Amino acid sequence: MADTTRQVEKVLLSLPSPGARSPEQRAEAAAAKDTARALRTRFLDAHADAVYDGLTDGRTRSLKIAELVEAAAAAFPGLVPTAAQLASERSRPQADKEGHEIDQGIFLRAVLGSPSAGPHLMDAMLRPTPSALRLLPEFTRTGVVDTGSVRLERRDGAAHLTMCRDDCLNAEDDRQVDDMETAVDLALLDPQVRVGVLRGGEMTHPRYRGKRVFSAGINLKSLHAGGISLVGFLLRRELGYIHKLVRGVLSEDDGTGTWHTRGTEKPWVAAVDTFAIGGGMQLLLVFDHVLAASDAYFSLPAAREGIVPGAGNFRLGRHTGPRISRQVILQGRRIWATEPDARLLVDEVVEPGDMDSAVERAVERLSAPAVPANRTMLNLAEEPPEEFRRYMAEFALQQALRLYGEDVIQKVGRFGGGAS
């Protein structure tokens, strides 16, 4: 493995940077990479469990994905890219990267696809973040935490998460994902919180100045600049805070009464003002109650962007049926809150001025003691963990491949100044 990797690196070093290569040089680089990737795939098909057990001391240690790929780079040279290779990639725009993240995708598809290693890694991703554990005493005492991109406030037993990236219409990047996971963890860990609420804040963007916006999806400007990573954004987002919205945060049994549950789950309300595009629409599919302003709309422009819309392909059809999910994902259909089909995505459509009171009513309904147990059982029935794990295994590779598709690089170049 290491020898093959060195041969590939020798080929790549003999060529111009990726963005400056001729068609013939791109073909030469692709052929060298394909040889190594075929070898990695065969190795992992046979040894993924042994590799994972070695990295986690027989599954006695919980490593999150970023920690796991770092450990794999050190323990198994050539299996995944090194820290130096990834650091070099991060300094380049997307069009000028070698695509080393594809090798991470090969590795993570094998690990997540394993019936033994996969669930262990999924559990590791449900552990609370160090930043949340650090901020928890402050939040339980004051009821307020502001991370810059997310403001978290506890009011009357509800944790209100407000996305505050007013500069980019709440388009998500690595920073937003990090802050969202911290905020979700705090809401789940605080015993004074019964229900979580997610809403977009007021914008300063000239077109939407003074208006609330839920989310414009992935930050295409960051993607164009090379700032959207497979591990730190795309996989952490799905297996981190979004999965925690579904399953809760996983805690250790400390012998004081946590024996009856693997973690802490709570019901969630989403309030959509103006629009929920891309990743914003994906979020709605995991909430227990979705409110939408009467002038709002929803879309998943995956075909335009050229990437896979997270777990949207896994979840959307369960809400809308296969025909509408194909119209939305494959053909870019936009659904307005007032359309009949929108009732498959939202629970209530309210006038913009009535959103605050609608949120209060939803929180009150979801505060009943039996709600958490029933939502747990609903989620087990509607989204079986093993099905989600198998989906995410294939997503890890397919999304990595799409990140480096020629069509994606061209499209994000055109959308480089904005978000979607």
Side-chain angles (χ1 to χ4, degrees):
M1 186 76 67
D3 289 342
T4 302
T5 301
R6 282 192 290 271
Q7 292 171 8
V8 173
E9 287 300 305
K10 184 177 180 181
V11 170
L12 298 181
L13 287 171
S14 71
L15 299 173
S17 63
R21 289 171 188 164
S22 66
E24 293 77 16
Q25 290 170 330
R26 288 198 296 270
E28 182 182 359
K33 293 174 186 176
D34 284 347
T35 298
R37 286 168 180 163
L39 180 61
R40 289 187 186 96
T41 299
R42 290 195 298 271
F43 175 81
L44 287 165
D45 284 345
H47 304 294
D49 282 346
V51 169
Y52 187 81
D53 283 353
L55 296 173
T56 60
D57 295 336
R59 282 173 275 155
T60 61
R61 291 197 304 145
S62 292
L63 297 180
K64 296 197 174 188
I65 286 179
E67 298 167 324
L68 183 70
V69 294
E70 182 179 357
F76 298 92
L79 187 59
V80 294
T82 65
Q85 287 174 318
L86 294 172
S88 175
E89 293 277 83
R90 280 194 296 270
S91 67
R92 305 178 186 180
Q94 196 69 13
D96 212 30
K97 294 185 178 185
E98 291 289 0
H100 292 304
E101 289 177 300
I102 293 171
D103 300 309
Q104 291 181 323
I106 293 170
F107 172 68
L108 292 169
R109 179 178 66 169
V111 172
L112 287 167
S114 163
S116 55
H120 189 266
L121 178 56
M122 300 279 281
D123 281 354
M125 294 299 292
L126 292 177
R127 304 286 181 189
T129 62
S131 58
L133 295 175
R134 185 180 70 253
L135 291 169
L136 184 59
E138 175 190 348
F139 181 63
T140 55
R141 178 175 58 85
T142 66
V144 177
V145 165
D146 194 330
T147 65
S149 62
V150 181
R151 181 174 174 82
L152 177 62
E153 299 176 85
R154 184 183 63 241
R155 301 197 299 268
D156 299 324
H160 292 261
L161 284 69
T162 304
M163 297 177 285
C164 301
R165 293 295 296 276
D166 59 304
D167 59 322
C168 59
L169 304 178
N170 286 328
E172 286 189 294
D173 54 18
D174 282 18
R175 173 192 172 191
Q176 182 86 356
V177 167
D178 185 67
D179 288 350
M180 280 293 294
E181 186 166 14
T182 296
V184 168
D185 281 355
L186 289 170
L188 290 168
L189 291 168
D190 183 357
Q192 301 174 77
V193 170
R194 298 187 304 275
V195 180
V197 178
L198 181 63
R199 191 177 183 185
E202 291 187 2
M203 300 291 105
T204 58
H205 186 286
R207 187 174 175 184
Y208 299 96
R209 189 179 304 277
K211 295 186 65 175
R212 286 180 179 265
V213 166
F214 190 74
S215 174
I218 192 171
N219 191 315
L220 291 177
K221 184 176 181 179
S222 291
L223 179 56
H224 169 69
I228 297 295
S229 62
L230 176 70
V231 168
F233 179 90
L234 293 161
L235 289 173
R236 179 180 176 183
R237 181 177 184 271
E238 298 298 332
L239 296 176
Y241 87 84
I242 298 181
H243 198 207
K244 288 174 178 177
L245 292 172
V246 179
R247 304 292 177 199
V249 66
L250 196 62
S251 55
E252 300 287 352
D253 182 0
D254 59 6
T256 60
T258 57
W259 57 268
H260 52 78
T261 179
R262 298 183 69 245
T264 302
E265 300 181 36
K266 292 173 184 177
W268 289 88
V269 176
V272 180
D273 300 277
T274 311
F275 53 71
I277 298 174
M281 182 175 174
Q282 294 167 32
L283 281 172
L284 306 183
L285 305 178
V286 302
F287 279 77
D288 302 291
H289 193 84
V290 177
L291 297 156
S294 57
D295 59 353
Y297 67 87
F298 320 94
S299 68
L300 273 177
R304 184 178 69 169
E305 295 167 358
I307 58 177
V308 180
N313 308 60
F314 178 74
R315 295 183 174 119
L316 183 59
R318 296 166 186 251
H319 287 255
T320 66
R323 295 270 55 86
I324 292 177
S325 67
R326 280 166 170 74
Q327 292 165 18
V328 171
I329 293 173
L330 302 182
Q331 302 174 51
R333 177 184 172 185
R334 176 180 293 186
I335 297 180
W336 290 87
T338 51
E339 291 183 47
D341 285 343
R343 295 312 301 269
L344 300 171
L345 297 169
V346 304
D347 299 282
E348 293 182 70
V349 178
V350 301
E351 293 304 311
D354 296 333
M355 185 65 81
D356 289 344
S357 57
V359 168
E360 291 178 6
R361 292 192 299 270
V363 167
E364 183 178 0
R365 287 194 296 271
L366 290 176
S367 295
V371 166
N374 279 285
R375 80 179 292 275
T376 295
M377 302 311 295
L378 285 167
N379 284 334
L380 283 172
E382 295 169 0
E383 188 173 304
E386 284 299 287
E387 290 186 18
F388 178 63
R389 177 184 61 78
R390 287 192 291 269
Y391 175 90
M392 290 306 303
E394 190 61 30
F395 172 83
L397 179 57
Q398 295 304 322
Q399 188 71 299
L401 292 168
R402 284 283 74 219
L403 278 179
Y404 295 94
E406 287 295 324
D407 59 316
V408 173
I409 290 170
Q410 292 174 9
K411 286 169 184 175
V412 300
R414 293 198 299 270
F415 289 109
S420 175

